[in-house]
Amino acid sequence: MDSDKKAAQRFEQALGEPVAGNGLLHRRAFLHGGAAFTGLAAAALTANDALAQAAAQSGKPPLSARTLMTQSTPGAPFSTYGTPSRYEVSTGRDFTFNAAAPGTGSSRTPHHLLDGTITPSGLHFQRNHNGVPTISPEDHTLLIHGMVKRPLTFTMDALMRYPTETHVRFVECAGNNGGFGAALPRQANAGAMHGLLSCSEWTGIPLKILLDEAGVDPTKAKWLLAEGADAASMSRSVPIEKAMGDAMIALYQNGERIRPEQGYPMRLLLPGFEGNQNVKWLHRLKVSATPTFTKDETSKYTELLPGGKAAQFMFTQPVNSFISRPSFGYDMQGPGLYQITGLAWSGNGKIAKVEVSADGKSWAQAALTEPVLPMSLTRFRLWWKWDGGPATLTSRATDEKKNVQPTRTAWLKAYGANQGYKFNGITAWATNELGNVSHVYV
Ligand SMILES: Nc1nc2c(c(=O)[nH]1)N[C@H]1C(S)=C(S)[C@@H](COP(=O)(O)O)O[C@H]1N2
Ligand SMILES: [Mo]
């Protein structure tokens, strides 16, 4: 018992004093606290009762599958494709769709149940305007035409022989983080609120290689129409600088061929741009002098300004963040030490810093999990000593271009009423004395 107390004291010392109101600790405690944490584990987190002592003597873990079956019971056989543990089946996407057209709608990444920065492919969000088409790679081609010297058609076999690059990038729907203009804060979990956002490692062909082969003169050709082979024929206009810049024809997602939901056999990937621009099931690129003003960019994805005007072609997803844990649906287990963690991202590049507040007034800088990559999800973490009283948890991200998340009030003022796209205001979770976490406006 005595040594347990000492270990706990050592851990407390390593954590240091709070650096911001309501018990937020210095990020150093997270970056360098691992060694000290072993002290806490001995003191608080592991069972150390008579049963555990006896187990240590006998060398048998008190709870183990081996004690529940005989040593000779073999485990499950091999499978061609692995699936998550049967005990994790509730970690899934929630979805909403149009009853008259069940393929039209979206499913969301359950960020409140995940950790790390890469979204498992089966949990990548989906936004489909008319269902997921079934496309055989043998029956699919990519056409590049319009203002080019040589119109080209690529079979999948041909494309698979081109040089590729690999990058970790987020995809975020412009409609993510929606509903924050509502009079009352919506009581829903982090996935429901921020889950039209996912991050994968994408491998594909730099689009510039294909456009150069077709012969594009960027002094005359200013835009590129990208069209999908789905029933919605979803299409968007892309500025030629982006197309000749970091745009990619993505063929692989997290090491395997891109999932049907994400655009199999290929999608356009425009790092940092609103999700809608990342045309899935891509089959046609047309180079032109002007935007095409497709139905998808005239009826939607514009930004309503206070005077009633709408700004069009606002491509970049703004700097943003949210706390994924603790969050709505998460009940605190009494006063004590908690990890606050969440995600930050920006279409402008890397995340420079994330600050966290537990009292709505003072801020402590969070530790960022390396590597911090541009236009990717960045994980932040901070230790929090919850004293059991009411607290309001917020996060505020700054990107490398010095863009900072505005308050919700400032964001609402900057746009016309009902502007639903690209909300990046600061969001908050509150916990009461009972440890119930709810969504609040700050
Ligand atoms: N062809 C096609 N491309 C599409 C869409 C679509 O419905 N059809 N949805 C767009 C929208 S609105 C978004 S947010 C992203 C979503 O990508 P994901 O479903 O891979 O997450 O794909 C975009 N590309
Ligand atoms: Mo979207």
Side-chain angles (χ1 to χ4, degrees):
M1 209 42 212
D2 215 38
S3 68
D4 285 357
K5 259 195 203 133
K6 273 196 196 131
Q9 269 167 10
R10 267 205 312 280
F11 185 63
E12 292 277 315
Q13 272 164 15
L15 289 177
E17 288 302 309
V19 294
N22 257 351
L24 288 182
L25 301 178
H26 195 282
R27 68 184 187 286
R28 222 176 15 233
F30 224 109
L31 294 170
H32 309 299
F37 191 83
T38 51
L40 175 85
L45 291 184
T46 59
N48 204 7
D49 51 16
L51 207 71
Q53 303 282 356
Q57 290 281 322
S58 71
K60 286 185 186 145
L63 275 179
S64 160
R66 287 266 286 271
T67 60
L68 300 177
M69 53 178 146
T70 68
Q71 298 247 358
S72 57
T73 308
F78 296 97
S79 59
T80 51
Y81 201 97
T83 54
S85 161
R86 68 167 80 170
Y87 303 105
E88 299 294 333
V89 286
S90 58
T91 301
R93 300 179 283 213
D94 282 335
F95 43 90
T96 43
F97 56 89
N98 182 331
T104 304
S106 39
S107 72
R108 293 169 158 78
T109 298
H111 287 298
H112 51 294
L113 303 175
L114 304 178
D115 207 318
T117 54
I118 299 291
T119 310
S121 299
L123 295 176
H124 196 287
F125 85 95
Q126 298 162 264
R127 172 75 184 98
N128 302 328
H129 288 72
N130 203 353
V132 178
T134 303
I135 300 177
S136 153
E138 279 154 33
D139 303 331
H140 192 81
T141 51
L142 174 65
L143 167 68
I144 301 185
H145 69 139
M147 291 173 68
V148 294
K149 283 206 191 88
R150 289 173 298 277
L152 296 172
T153 299
F154 300 89
T155 62
M156 287 311 300
D157 277 348
L159 278 182
M160 296 302 273
R161 297 175 62 179
Y162 273 74
T164 53
E165 283 181 3
T166 297
H167 297 289
V168 174
R169 298 289 182 244
F170 74 75
V171 176
E172 183 184 26
C173 180
N176 195 29
N177 323 294
F180 283 88
L184 292 176
R186 186 156 70 108
Q187 297 308 321
N189 62 43
M193 285 201 243
H194 307 285
L196 295 178
L197 163 76
S198 305
C199 186
S200 300
E201 185 206 73
W202 305 97
T203 296
I205 306 162
L207 178 55
K208 183 180 190 310
I209 293 181
L210 305 184
L211 291 178
D212 279 343
E213 191 175 338
V216 171
D217 176 357
T219 61
K220 295 196 191 95
K222 294 293 179 197
W223 291 83
L224 182 72
L225 172 76
E227 183 184 72
D230 53 333
S233 232
M234 227 219 62
S235 43
R236 289 295 308 261
S237 303
V238 181
I240 202 75
E241 300 81 46
K242 186 71 175 177
M244 298 293 271
D246 59 0
M248 174 197 272
I249 304 294
L251 302 169
Y252 292 84
Q253 174 184 2
N254 297 330
E256 62 183 353
R257 288 301 312 281
I258 190 167
R259 292 279 171 106
E261 295 88 341
Q262 267 64 63
Y264 185 90
M266 64 175 130
R267 87 176 304 162
L268 184 60
L269 191 78
L270 301 176
F273 272 27
E274 63 188 11
N276 190 257
Q277 293 277 123
N278 296 258
V279 173
K280 303 191 279 187
W281 313 295
L282 183 70
H283 72 168
R284 187 165 77 97
L285 294 168
K286 185 181 181 188
V287 180
S288 59
T290 62
T292 304
F293 298 104
T294 70
K295 66 178 187 335
D296 299 296
E297 56 202 17
T298 51
S299 68
K300 282 179 279 180
Y301 306 110
T302 57
E303 289 182 20
L304 201 56
L305 302 174
K309 275 195 180 178
Q312 206 171 19
F313 303 127
M314 309 300 286
F315 300 121
T316 306
Q317 288 299 112
V319 63
N320 212 340
S321 73
F322 66 91
I323 292 171
S324 58
R325 231 176 26 247
S327 58
F328 177 86
Y330 179 102
D331 287 331
M332 312 281 293
Q333 306 296 312
L337 192 67
Y338 287 84
Q339 180 188 148
I340 295 175
T341 187
L343 293 168
W345 67 100
S346 169
N348 298 299
K350 288 184 188 175
I351 288 298
K353 71 171 173 187
V354 179
E355 296 155 293
V356 171
S357 176
D359 63 2
K361 295 191 286 265
S362 54
W363 300 86
Q365 212 173 313
L368 304 183
T369 299
E370 296 289 343
V372 174
L373 301 169
M375 292 157 290
S376 300
L377 294 187
T378 297
R379 169 80 43 191
F380 62 90
R381 304 177 197 274
L382 202 62
W383 285 119
W384 175 40
K385 270 188 192 168
W386 183 48
D387 63 8
T392 306
L393 300 177
T394 56
S395 63
R396 177 172 72 185
T398 304
D399 68 22
E400 63 177 336
K401 303 275 165 57
K402 299 201 163 51
N403 301 295
V404 188
Q405 278 183 263
T407 62
R408 173 177 167 274
T409 317
W411 189 91
L412 288 175
K413 229 186 242 167
Y415 294 98
N418 303 327
Q419 159 64 14
Y421 296 122
K422 296 200 176 70
F423 176 85
N424 73 329
I426 292 168
T427 59
W429 307 112
T431 176
N432 60 15
E433 291 89 340
L434 298 173
N436 307 129
V437 181
S438 59
H439 175 212
V440 292
Y441 287 154
V442 288

mmCIF file of all heavy atoms in Angstrom, residues 168-204:
data_model
loop_
_atom_site.group_PDB
_atom_site.id
_atom_site.type_symbol
_atom_site.label_atom_id
_atom_site.label_comp_id
_atom_site.label_asym_id
_atom_site.label_seq_id
_atom_site.Cartn_x
_atom_site.Cartn_y
_atom_site.Cartn_z
ATOM 1 N N VAL A 168 -1.267 10.453 -46.864
ATOM 2 C CA VAL A 168 -2.370 10.410 -45.905
ATOM 3 C C VAL A 168 -3.144 11.713 -46.069
ATOM 4 O O VAL A 168 -2.546 12.797 -46.018
ATOM 5 C CB VAL A 168 -1.835 10.277 -44.461
ATOM 6 C CG1 VAL A 168 -2.978 10.378 -43.459
ATOM 7 C CG2 VAL A 168 -1.090 8.963 -44.292
ATOM 8 N N ARG A 169 -4.453 11.616 -46.310
ATOM 9 C CA ARG A 169 -5.270 12.828 -46.527
ATOM 10 C C ARG A 169 -6.665 12.613 -45.946
ATOM 11 O O ARG A 169 -7.216 11.516 -46.025
ATOM 12 C CB ARG A 169 -5.436 13.110 -48.017
ATOM 13 C CG ARG A 169 -4.151 13.393 -48.765
ATOM 14 C CD ARG A 169 -3.567 14.750 -48.399
ATOM 15 N NE ARG A 169 -2.362 15.050 -49.141
ATOM 16 C CZ ARG A 169 -1.146 15.202 -48.584
ATOM 17 N NH1 ARG A 169 -0.982 15.040 -47.288
ATOM 18 N NH2 ARG A 169 -0.107 15.509 -49.324
ATOM 19 N N PHE A 170 -7.247 13.696 -45.425
ATOM 20 C CA PHE A 170 -8.643 13.597 -44.994
ATOM 21 C C PHE A 170 -9.565 13.881 -46.168
ATOM 22 O O PHE A 170 -9.180 14.547 -47.136
ATOM 23 C CB PHE A 170 -8.933 14.548 -43.818
ATOM 24 C CG PHE A 170 -9.024 16.017 -44.164
ATOM 25 C CD1 PHE A 170 -10.151 16.545 -44.812
ATOM 26 C CD2 PHE A 170 -8.008 16.893 -43.835
ATOM 27 C CE1 PHE A 170 -10.253 17.894 -45.118
ATOM 28 C CE2 PHE A 170 -8.086 18.250 -44.138
ATOM 29 C CZ PHE A 170 -9.213 18.751 -44.787
ATOM 30 N N VAL A 171 -10.783 13.365 -46.086
ATOM 31 C CA VAL A 171 -11.874 13.791 -46.965
ATOM 32 C C VAL A 171 -12.968 14.268 -46.026
ATOM 33 O O VAL A 171 -13.300 13.573 -45.056
ATOM 34 C CB VAL A 171 -12.394 12.642 -47.859
ATOM 35 C CG1 VAL A 171 -13.596 13.107 -48.679
ATOM 36 C CG2 VAL A 171 -11.286 12.138 -48.785
ATOM 37 N N GLU A 172 -13.483 15.466 -46.248
ATOM 38 C CA GLU A 172 -14.550 16.008 -45.400
ATOM 39 C C GLU A 172 -15.633 16.606 -46.271
ATOM 40 O O GLU A 172 -15.356 17.416 -47.162
ATOM 41 C CB GLU A 172 -14.002 17.095 -44.461
ATOM 42 C CG GLU A 172 -15.085 17.618 -43.511
ATOM 43 C CD GLU A 172 -14.624 18.770 -42.617
ATOM 44 O OE1 GLU A 172 -13.693 19.503 -43.000
ATOM 45 O OE2 GLU A 172 -15.231 18.943 -41.548
ATOM 46 N N CYS A 173 -16.872 16.221 -45.994
ATOM 47 C CA CYS A 173 -18.015 16.793 -46.700
ATOM 48 C C CYS A 173 -18.186 18.240 -46.253
ATOM 49 O O CYS A 173 -18.030 18.559 -45.062
ATOM 50 C CB CYS A 173 -19.270 15.986 -46.372
ATOM 51 S SG CYS A 173 -20.750 16.612 -47.196
ATOM 52 N N ALA A 174 -18.514 19.125 -47.206
ATOM 53 C CA ALA A 174 -18.736 20.538 -46.867
ATOM 54 C C ALA A 174 -19.881 20.670 -45.862
ATOM 55 O O ALA A 174 -19.955 21.625 -45.108
ATOM 56 C CB ALA A 174 -19.043 21.335 -48.125
ATOM 57 N N GLY A 175 -20.779 19.678 -45.853
ATOM 58 C CA GLY A 175 -21.918 19.717 -44.931
ATOM 59 C C GLY A 175 -21.607 19.124 -43.564
ATOM 60 O O GLY A 175 -22.504 19.024 -42.721
ATOM 61 N N ASN A 176 -20.337 18.742 -43.326
ATOM 62 C CA ASN A 176 -19.975 18.217 -42.006
ATOM 63 C C ASN A 176 -20.164 19.304 -40.952
ATOM 64 O O ASN A 176 -20.167 20.484 -41.275
ATOM 65 C CB ASN A 176 -18.513 17.747 -42.019
ATOM 66 C CG ASN A 176 -18.164 16.859 -40.834
ATOM 67 O OD1 ASN A 176 -19.033 16.155 -40.300
ATOM 68 N ND2 ASN A 176 -16.910 16.880 -40.422
ATOM 69 N N ASN A 177 -20.258 18.909 -39.692
ATOM 70 C CA ASN A 177 -20.411 19.847 -38.569
ATOM 71 C C ASN A 177 -21.668 20.710 -38.770
ATOM 72 O O ASN A 177 -21.666 21.888 -38.416
ATOM 73 C CB ASN A 177 -19.185 20.774 -38.419
ATOM 74 C CG ASN A 177 -17.867 20.065 -38.733
ATOM 75 O OD1 ASN A 177 -17.486 19.164 -38.023
ATOM 76 N ND2 ASN A 177 -17.215 20.446 -39.811
ATOM 77 N N GLY A 178 -22.706 20.138 -39.362
ATOM 78 C CA GLY A 178 -23.901 20.927 -39.677
ATOM 79 C C GLY A 178 -24.803 21.130 -38.476
ATOM 80 O O GLY A 178 -24.638 20.511 -37.427
ATOM 81 N N GLY A 179 -25.739 22.007 -38.645
ATOM 82 C CA GLY A 179 -26.793 22.193 -37.633
ATOM 83 C C GLY A 179 -26.414 23.091 -36.481
ATOM 84 O O GLY A 179 -27.180 23.226 -35.523
ATOM 85 N N PHE A 180 -25.252 23.766 -36.570
ATOM 86 C CA PHE A 180 -24.830 24.592 -35.438
ATOM 87 C C PHE A 180 -25.526 25.951 -35.392
ATOM 88 O O PHE A 180 -25.349 26.712 -34.447
ATOM 89 C CB PHE A 180 -23.307 24.742 -35.412
ATOM 90 C CG PHE A 180 -22.638 23.513 -34.877
ATOM 91 C CD1 PHE A 180 -22.288 22.477 -35.716
ATOM 92 C CD2 PHE A 180 -22.435 23.367 -33.520
ATOM 93 C CE1 PHE A 180 -21.710 21.322 -35.211
ATOM 94 C CE2 PHE A 180 -21.860 22.214 -33.006
ATOM 95 C CZ PHE A 180 -21.495 21.194 -33.861
ATOM 96 N N GLY A 181 -26.328 26.238 -36.426
ATOM 97 C CA GLY A 181 -27.117 27.467 -36.400
ATOM 98 C C GLY A 181 -28.400 27.288 -35.595
ATOM 99 O O GLY A 181 -29.091 28.262 -35.288
ATOM 100 N N ALA A 182 -28.745 26.049 -35.242
ATOM 101 C CA ALA A 182 -29.993 25.770 -34.517
ATOM 102 C C ALA A 182 -30.014 26.503 -33.173
ATOM 103 O O ALA A 182 -28.969 26.712 -32.557
ATOM 104 C CB ALA A 182 -30.147 24.275 -34.298
ATOM 105 N N ALA A 183 -31.218 26.886 -32.723
ATOM 106 C CA ALA A 183 -31.344 27.659 -31.480
ATOM 107 C C ALA A 183 -30.811 26.868 -30.290
ATOM 108 O O ALA A 183 -30.160 27.422 -29.415
ATOM 109 C CB ALA A 183 -32.797 28.042 -31.261
ATOM 110 N N LEU A 184 -31.100 25.571 -30.270
ATOM 111 C CA LEU A 184 -30.640 24.741 -29.146
ATOM 112 C C LEU A 184 -29.588 23.755 -29.639
ATOM 113 O O LEU A 184 -29.698 23.231 -30.751
ATOM 114 C CB LEU A 184 -31.820 23.961 -28.561
ATOM 115 C CG LEU A 184 -32.877 24.793 -27.842
ATOM 116 C CD1 LEU A 184 -34.035 23.906 -27.399
ATOM 117 C CD2 LEU A 184 -32.274 25.532 -26.639
ATOM 118 N N PRO A 185 -28.563 23.496 -28.812
ATOM 119 C CA PRO A 185 -27.532 22.543 -29.238
ATOM 120 C C PRO A 185 -28.096 21.134 -29.367
ATOM 121 O O PRO A 185 -28.829 20.658 -28.512
ATOM 122 C CB PRO A 185 -26.484 22.616 -28.121
ATOM 123 C CG PRO A 185 -27.124 23.301 -26.982
ATOM 124 C CD PRO A 185 -28.282 24.088 -27.489
ATOM 125 N N ARG A 186 -27.772 20.507 -30.471
ATOM 126 C CA ARG A 186 -28.249 19.152 -30.740
ATOM 127 C C ARG A 186 -27.545 18.179 -29.802
ATOM 128 O O ARG A 186 -26.324 18.246 -29.635
ATOM 129 C CB ARG A 186 -27.899 18.818 -32.189
ATOM 130 C CG ARG A 186 -28.428 17.514 -32.696
ATOM 131 C CD ARG A 186 -28.535 17.573 -34.201
ATOM 132 N NE ARG A 186 -27.213 17.587 -34.828
ATOM 133 C CZ ARG A 186 -26.701 16.549 -35.494
ATOM 134 N NH1 ARG A 186 -27.375 15.430 -35.616
ATOM 135 N NH2 ARG A 186 -25.513 16.632 -36.056
ATOM 136 N N GLN A 187 -28.308 17.296 -29.183
ATOM 137 C CA GLN A 187 -27.701 16.295 -28.295
ATOM 138 C C GLN A 187 -27.406 15.040 -29.112
ATOM 139 O O GLN A 187 -28.274 14.206 -29.330
ATOM 140 C CB GLN A 187 -28.620 15.999 -27.102
ATOM 141 C CG GLN A 187 -28.847 17.212 -26.205
ATOM 142 C CD GLN A 187 -27.538 17.872 -25.755
ATOM 143 O OE1 GLN A 187 -26.549 17.210 -25.449
ATOM 144 N NE2 GLN A 187 -27.513 19.204 -25.742
ATOM 145 N N ALA A 188 -26.191 14.948 -29.601
ATOM 146 C CA ALA A 188 -25.794 13.813 -30.440
ATOM 147 C C ALA A 188 -24.307 13.577 -30.256
ATOM 148 O O ALA A 188 -23.579 14.487 -29.835
ATOM 149 C CB ALA A 188 -26.097 14.123 -31.906
ATOM 150 N N ASN A 189 -23.860 12.369 -30.560
ATOM 151 C CA ASN A 189 -22.453 12.041 -30.315
ATOM 152 C C ASN A 189 -21.521 12.668 -31.361
ATOM 153 O O ASN A 189 -21.965 13.225 -32.370
ATOM 154 C CB ASN A 189 -22.254 10.527 -30.181
ATOM 155 C CG ASN A 189 -22.621 9.784 -31.444
ATOM 156 O OD1 ASN A 189 -22.294 10.210 -32.538
ATOM 157 N ND2 ASN A 189 -23.314 8.660 -31.289
ATOM 158 N N ALA A 190 -20.231 12.575 -31.087
ATOM 159 C CA ALA A 190 -19.227 13.245 -31.931
ATOM 160 C C ALA A 190 -19.276 12.736 -33.371
ATOM 161 O O ALA A 190 -19.052 13.502 -34.305
ATOM 162 C CB ALA A 190 -17.829 13.059 -31.340
ATOM 163 N N GLY A 191 -19.601 11.455 -33.542
ATOM 164 C CA GLY A 191 -19.694 10.916 -34.895
ATOM 165 C C GLY A 191 -20.861 11.516 -35.656
ATOM 166 O O GLY A 191 -20.752 11.874 -36.828
ATOM 167 N N ALA A 192 -21.996 11.641 -34.974
ATOM 168 C CA ALA A 192 -23.177 12.219 -35.614
ATOM 169 C C ALA A 192 -22.913 13.667 -36.022
ATOM 170 O O ALA A 192 -23.391 14.131 -37.050
ATOM 171 C CB ALA A 192 -24.367 12.139 -34.674
ATOM 172 N N MET A 193 -22.138 14.381 -35.208
ATOM 173 C CA MET A 193 -21.918 15.805 -35.494
ATOM 174 C C MET A 193 -20.759 16.070 -36.448
ATOM 175 O O MET A 193 -20.798 16.998 -37.228
ATOM 176 C CB MET A 193 -21.674 16.552 -34.185
ATOM 177 C CG MET A 193 -22.963 16.734 -33.426
ATOM 178 S SD MET A 193 -22.782 18.073 -32.283
ATOM 179 C CE MET A 193 -22.993 17.190 -30.791
ATOM 180 N N HIS A 194 -19.691 15.266 -36.319
ATOM 181 C CA HIS A 194 -18.478 15.568 -37.100
ATOM 182 C C HIS A 194 -18.052 14.404 -37.993
ATOM 183 O O HIS A 194 -16.929 14.397 -38.502
ATOM 184 C CB HIS A 194 -17.327 15.913 -36.146
ATOM 185 C CG HIS A 194 -17.649 16.994 -35.156
ATOM 186 N ND1 HIS A 194 -17.713 18.325 -35.500
ATOM 187 C CD2 HIS A 194 -17.952 16.942 -33.834
ATOM 188 C CE1 HIS A 194 -18.014 19.051 -34.426
ATOM 189 N NE2 HIS A 194 -18.178 18.236 -33.404
ATOM 190 N N GLY A 195 -18.929 13.406 -38.155
ATOM 191 C CA GLY A 195 -18.515 12.164 -38.800
ATOM 192 C C GLY A 195 -18.528 12.141 -40.318
ATOM 193 O O GLY A 195 -18.256 11.103 -40.914
ATOM 194 N N LEU A 196 -18.857 13.289 -40.965
ATOM 195 C CA LEU A 196 -18.717 13.313 -42.431
ATOM 196 C C LEU A 196 -17.267 13.711 -42.740
ATOM 197 O O LEU A 196 -16.981 14.641 -43.498
ATOM 198 C CB LEU A 196 -19.707 14.290 -43.070
ATOM 199 C CG LEU A 196 -21.183 13.914 -42.899
ATOM 200 C CD1 LEU A 196 -22.098 14.969 -43.512
ATOM 201 C CD2 LEU A 196 -21.482 12.556 -43.539
ATOM 202 N N LEU A 197 -16.373 13.043 -42.067
ATOM 203 C CA LEU A 197 -14.943 13.348 -42.089
ATOM 204 C C LEU A 197 -14.201 12.051 -41.816
ATOM 205 O O LEU A 197 -14.498 11.362 -40.836
ATOM 206 C CB LEU A 197 -14.636 14.360 -40.980
ATOM 207 C CG LEU A 197 -13.176 14.521 -40.574
ATOM 208 C CD1 LEU A 197 -12.435 15.344 -41.627
ATOM 209 C CD2 LEU A 197 -13.062 15.208 -39.214
ATOM 210 N N SER A 198 -13.258 11.702 -42.691
ATOM 211 C CA SER A 198 -12.463 10.485 -42.510
ATOM 212 C C SER A 198 -11.065 10.750 -43.042
ATOM 213 O O SER A 198 -10.846 11.735 -43.746
ATOM 214 C CB SER A 198 -13.083 9.307 -43.260
ATOM 215 O OG SER A 198 -14.433 9.115 -42.871
ATOM 216 N N CYS A 199 -10.149 9.865 -42.712
ATOM 217 C CA CYS A 199 -8.759 10.065 -43.149
ATOM 218 C C CYS A 199 -8.173 8.714 -43.549
ATOM 219 O O CYS A 199 -8.288 7.751 -42.801
ATOM 220 C CB CYS A 199 -7.957 10.690 -42.011
ATOM 221 S SG CYS A 199 -6.282 11.162 -42.438
ATOM 222 N N SER A 200 -7.580 8.654 -44.720
ATOM 223 C CA SER A 200 -7.006 7.407 -45.224
ATOM 224 C C SER A 200 -5.625 7.649 -45.796
ATOM 225 O O SER A 200 -5.249 8.783 -46.093
ATOM 226 C CB SER A 200 -7.869 6.820 -46.353
ATOM 227 O OG SER A 200 -9.171 6.541 -45.904
ATOM 228 N N GLU A 201 -4.907 6.552 -45.980
ATOM 229 C CA GLU A 201 -3.673 6.616 -46.760
ATOM 230 C C GLU A 201 -4.065 6.245 -48.196
ATOM 231 O O GLU A 201 -4.546 5.141 -48.446
ATOM 232 C CB GLU A 201 -2.656 5.613 -46.204
ATOM 233 C CG GLU A 201 -1.315 5.724 -46.884
ATOM 234 C CD GLU A 201 -0.539 4.429 -46.843
ATOM 235 O OE1 GLU A 201 -0.917 3.481 -47.584
ATOM 236 O OE2 GLU A 201 0.427 4.350 -46.089
ATOM 237 N N TRP A 202 -3.921 7.202 -49.095
ATOM 238 C CA TRP A 202 -4.343 6.995 -50.489
ATOM 239 C C TRP A 202 -3.121 6.794 -51.372
ATOM 240 O O TRP A 202 -2.121 7.505 -51.220
ATOM 241 C CB TRP A 202 -5.112 8.216 -51.007
ATOM 242 C CG TRP A 202 -6.291 8.622 -50.176
ATOM 243 C CD1 TRP A 202 -6.308 9.593 -49.220
ATOM 244 C CD2 TRP A 202 -7.638 8.098 -50.241
ATOM 245 N NE1 TRP A 202 -7.586 9.699 -48.676
ATOM 246 C CE2 TRP A 202 -8.413 8.798 -49.285
ATOM 247 C CE3 TRP A 202 -8.248 7.105 -51.016
ATOM 248 C CZ2 TRP A 202 -9.768 8.537 -49.076
ATOM 249 C CZ3 TRP A 202 -9.603 6.855 -50.805
ATOM 250 C CH2 TRP A 202 -10.348 7.561 -49.843
ATOM 251 N N THR A 203 -3.212 5.867 -52.299
ATOM 252 C CA THR A 203 -2.148 5.663 -53.277
ATOM 253 C C THR A 203 -2.760 5.813 -54.661
ATOM 254 O O THR A 203 -3.826 5.240 -54.940
ATOM 255 C CB THR A 203 -1.507 4.268 -53.116
ATOM 256 O OG1 THR A 203 -0.878 4.210 -51.835
ATOM 257 C CG2 THR A 203 -0.455 4.005 -54.192
ATOM 258 N N GLY A 204 -2.106 6.595 -55.499
ATOM 259 C CA GLY A 204 -2.649 6.793 -56.841
ATOM 260 C C GLY A 204 -1.691 7.550 -57.731
ATOM 261 O O GLY A 204 -0.542 7.820 -57.371
#
